[in-house]
Amino acid sequence: MSMDSTKDVLQRLADAIDARKAANPDTSYVARLFAKGEDAILKKIGEEATETVLAAKSGDREHTVRETADLWFHCLVMLSRMHLRPEDVLAELQRREGTSGIDEKAARKDALRDAS
């Protein structure tokens, strides 16, 4: 799958989430999460992250993919709640591309120190 098609999938999912967040919570899972509020959305991300780690630890590749899909979906819900889009995250990843993870982390630490 190319980066463009990956971006398209994420954009379509984000569009669907945005469209469903104001729907009837009795008929839409996304609307139900939004109705429960930010804490419920963030709790769901924590649950899905834990399930993803456990699936990966078990070595079950198919289960890991399914749990990661759940995690990514719920992260898209969180982004929507914050009026952010997957393109914002992809732009940040693109900005970091080609930069050592160690260097990038140090730059963020320096920026936080300078801001305080």
Side-chain angles (χ1 to χ4, degrees):
M1 184 178 278
S2 73
M3 181 60 158
D4 287 338
S5 62
T6 300
K7 183 177 175 183
D8 291 344
V9 168
L10 292 173
Q11 288 172 332
R12 285 193 308 273
L13 280 169
D15 290 344
I17 289 166
D18 286 344
R20 293 178 186 160
K21 65 185 177 183
N24 181 344
D26 292 332
T27 59
S28 169
Y29 175 73
V30 170
R32 188 175 310 143
L33 277 175
F34 273 88
K36 289 181 180 180
E38 180 180 56
D39 286 350
I41 293 168
L42 298 177
K43 181 180 176 186
K44 193 64 183 171
I45 290 171
E47 291 170 6
E48 297 300 343
T50 299
E51 291 171 7
T52 301
V53 168
L54 293 173
K57 187 71 176 158
S58 77
D60 184 333
R61 293 167 52 95
E62 187 175 323
H63 189 205
T64 301
V65 168
R66 286 193 311 267
E67 293 300 341
T68 301
D70 289 346
L71 176 59
W72 287 12
F73 174 81
H74 287 89
C75 286
L76 289 171
V77 171
M78 174 198 62
L79 290 172
S80 178
R81 171 109 166 101
M82 298 180 72
H83 305 288
L84 293 167
R85 298 277 306 175
E87 296 88 338
D88 298 311
V89 177
L90 292 171
E92 176 61 14
L93 289 171
Q94 187 173 23
R95 183 192 69 76
R96 294 180 186 187
E97 188 176 13
T99 302
S100 157
I102 293 169
D103 293 343
E104 199 284 326
K105 187 173 181 177
R108 279 188 284 147
K109 188 175 180 181
D110 291 343
L112 284 173
R113 187 179 55 238
D114 292 345
S116 54

